[in-house]
Amino acid sequence: MDNPENNRILVIDDDSMIREVLKNALEPEGFTIDEAENGNEALTKIAKIHYALIITDLIMPGKDGIGLMMDILKKWPRTKFFTMSGGGFIKADSYLKMSRKLGACATFTKPLKVDAVVAKVKELFGE
């Protein structure tokens, strides 16, 4: 895997509207945004490009966000993650708590407060 581009972010969510909203909010701030609709598609992209940050939903068809984090962290333990969830069979906070234990830098409940996500991304990048 190549060195990360300083501003390259992968946004993973099975909801295309969430991907689009985050892309439209982060690109004007100078970030390069790639998208994936599930964990399996994300793994394909991550094998080719090292991202400075991965923003992922936790509940998705196929490979979910927790499984994705575990797979990525085995190979690239310094990967930075922001996670998001609206819940599912259990409350969103339970999923988000699991992701924090795996090392997520920030967690967000859905519906997202996009300004809060953008502010946290800028904080992570030292802006």
Side-chain angles (χ1 to χ4, degrees), residues 57-78:
D57 188 16
L58 293 175
I59 303 171
M60 299 177 285
K63 182 168 289 297
D64 67 13
I66 296 293
L68 176 68
M69 286 181 73
M70 291 169 51
D71 287 351
I72 292 170
L73 290 170
K74 282 180 193 171
K75 288 186 177 183
W76 305 287
R78 295 185 311 193

Side-chain angles (χ1 to χ4, degrees), residues 11-24:
V11 175
I12 310 159
D13 199 302
D14 55 319
D15 184 336
S16 62
M17 290 295 289
I18 290 177
R19 294 192 315 266
E20 183 178 339
V21 165
L22 289 174
K23 183 173 184 160
N24 290 340

Side-chain angles (χ1 to χ4, degrees), residues 1-16:
M1 193 166 14
D2 300 326
N3 289 332
E5 291 186 33
N6 290 337
N7 68 343
R8 193 168 200 117
I9 298 170
L10 179 60
V11 175
I12 310 159
D13 199 302
D14 55 319
D15 184 336
S16 62

Side-chain angles (χ1 to χ4, degrees), residues 98-114:
M98 282 187 272
S99 73
R100 283 191 294 272
K101 286 184 179 185
L102 287 173
C105 300
T107 59
F108 302 92
T109 56
K110 292 180 181 180
L112 292 176
K113 292 181 176 128
V114 177

Side-chain angles (χ1 to χ4, degrees), residues 4 27 36 54 56 66 77:
E27 282 186 338
I54 296 172
T56 187
I66 296 293

Side-chain angles (χ1 to χ4, degrees), residues 27-79:
E27 282 186 338
E29 299 293 335
F31 298 101
T32 301
I33 307 300
D34 289 341
E35 302 175 45
E37 67 178 78
N38 59 51
N40 292 324
E41 183 181 342
L43 285 173
T44 300
K45 291 183 182 228
I46 292 163
K48 298 173 187 166
I49 299 170
H50 186 109
Y51 293 92
L53 173 65
I54 296 172
I55 301 174
T56 187
D57 188 16
L58 293 175
I59 303 171
M60 299 177 285
K63 182 168 289 297
D64 67 13
I66 296 293
L68 176 68
M69 286 181 73
M70 291 169 51
D71 287 351
I72 292 170
L73 290 170
K74 282 180 193 171
K75 288 186 177 183
W76 305 287
R78 295 185 311 193
T79 303

